[in-house]
């Protein structure tokens, strides 16, 4: 079995995208960050912080991406809801948005 950091990263990203395991993985990552038991102990000056920094960076990027996707989904739902509400009030919503302009050049 060939183990690499990239395979661990891909597993983490694929697992966090699954709604069934998402919150378990977030809670597990937070527990790892605050736990005194690490892959590299924290009392080693530089090496001890590398694993915590990697987990924190991955966790922050994934959670922020989830929040961005959630905001975009809500905005698209609100836009759909607003466009259906606008069409319910006017007979033809396209005519309301067309502006006919007669331009005259000024010399």
């Amino acid at each position: 079995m060939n183990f690499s950091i990239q395979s661990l990263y891909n597993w983490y990203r694929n697992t966090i995208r699954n709604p069934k395991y998402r919150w378990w993985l977030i809670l597990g990552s937070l527990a790892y960050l605050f736990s005194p038991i690490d892959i590299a102990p924290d009392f080693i000056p530089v090496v001890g912080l590398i694993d915590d920094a990697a987990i924190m960076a991955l966790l922050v990027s994934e959670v922020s991406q989830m929040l961005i996707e959630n905001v975009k989904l809500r905005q698209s739902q609100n836009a759909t809801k607003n466009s259906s509400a606008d069409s319910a009030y006017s007979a033809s919503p396209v005519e309301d948005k067309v502006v006919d302009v007669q331009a005259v050049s000024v010399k």
Side-chain angles (χ1 to χ4, degrees):
M1 184 170 140
N2 187 7
F3 177 77
S4 69
I5 298 296
Q6 186 65 35
S7 64
L8 183 65
Y9 175 74
N10 289 337
W11 171 82
Y12 189 90
R13 284 184 62 99
N14 291 335
T15 306
I16 204 163
R17 300 230 188 296
N18 186 344
K20 182 178 178 182
Y21 302 114
R22 179 177 294 152
W23 293 109
W24 285 109
L25 200 55
I26 290 171
L27 291 174
S29 298
L30 289 173
Y32 179 81
L33 289 173
F34 293 111
S35 171
I37 301 169
D38 284 343
I39 293 172
D42 290 337
F43 63 83
I44 301 173
V46 175
V47 178
L49 297 177
I50 290 175
D51 64 331
D52 292 337
I55 293 292
M56 183 177 283
L58 191 60
L59 183 64
V60 167
S61 69
E62 293 299 325
V63 169
S64 65
Q65 189 174 15
M66 285 176 13
L67 291 174
I68 289 169
E69 289 172 0
N70 193 7
V71 167
K72 286 181 181 179
L73 179 66
R74 285 186 182 178
Q75 286 178 347
S76 67
Q77 288 175 347
N78 286 342
T80 305
K81 193 183 302 182
N82 288 341
S83 67
S84 65
D86 288 345
S87 64
Y89 291 118
S90 64
S92 83
V94 175
E95 290 179 5
D96 293 340
K97 296 178 182 169
V98 175
V99 177
D100 188 21
V101 177
Q102 294 179 357
V104 177
S105 63
V106 179
K107 291 187 181 183

